[in-house]
Amino acid sequence: MCPAAAMITIGSLSTQTGVNIETIRYYEREGLLPSPVRSSGGRRLYCENDVRRLRFLRQCRDLGFSLTDARSLLSLAERDATTCAEVKPVVSRHLASVKAKIADLRRLEAALTVMERACPGSDSTDCPILDALNAPPTT
């Protein structure tokens, strides 16, 4: 527990971490942040540990980790004896997913580039882009 003087409001927590207030409340509902202490007026109050946890979660989300993976990484980070062998598979799975998405995007880029190059952009009513989109799908 933090000393009362060290506690901050949800607005300060949001400012310090760059995480939206609604996202902070969502993380509380999901159990990623503990339920905060309440002031006598009912305001949420947070400790430095909450700032640390929220910054960690923000980093995970900025790197595209799912909430499930972020929860796993947070759990691993908070254990005393976590090994790299426990952490690396989470990152390796996510990296494989990112690489697959990049490959998909490169295929999309190539297909769209072909379509764009085929179109003269003229006043003709015969549009190669629309023809390509109307063509039966290829396997």
Side-chain angles (χ1 to χ4, degrees):
M1 188 54 117
C2 305
M7 301 197 86
I8 60 172
T9 64
I10 195 167
S12 294
L13 181 63
S14 176
T15 299
Q16 287 184 34
T17 61
V19 176
N20 182 286
I21 289 173
E22 287 306 314
T23 303
I24 294 170
R25 290 179 182 143
Y26 174 73
Y27 287 167
E28 288 171 12
R29 286 191 304 273
E30 292 296 312
L32 292 163
L33 279 177
S35 295
V37 174
R38 299 280 182 152
S39 71
S40 59
R43 297 179 73 185
R44 289 173 160 92
L45 298 174
Y46 300 89
C47 295
E48 181 58 35
N49 190 46
D50 298 317
V51 173
R52 184 195 58 74
R53 285 175 68 98
L54 199 52
R55 283 184 179 147
F56 186 93
L57 289 168
R58 167 93 193 254
Q59 279 287 99
C60 287
R61 298 299 285 154
D62 286 350
L63 290 169
F65 284 101
S66 68
L67 279 182
T68 300
D69 285 345
R71 184 186 311 274
S72 295
L73 290 168
L74 182 60
S75 174
L76 290 168
E78 291 181 337
R79 284 192 357 219
D80 288 334
T82 298
T83 66
C84 286
E86 294 172 286
V87 177
K88 188 173 181 176
V90 178
V91 174
S92 295
R93 278 191 313 273
H94 184 54
L95 178 59
S97 173
V98 167
K99 286 180 177 183
K101 289 175 186 174
I102 290 170
D104 288 344
L105 287 171
R106 286 192 175 128
R107 281 191 290 280
L108 284 172
E109 178 187 31
L112 291 169
T113 298
V114 168
M115 290 170 64
E116 182 189 44
R117 287 184 181 156
C119 181
S122 67
D123 290 336
S124 172
T125 58
D126 184 26
C127 179
I129 294 173
L130 294 177
D131 292 343
L133 293 172
N134 279 315
T138 58
T139 56

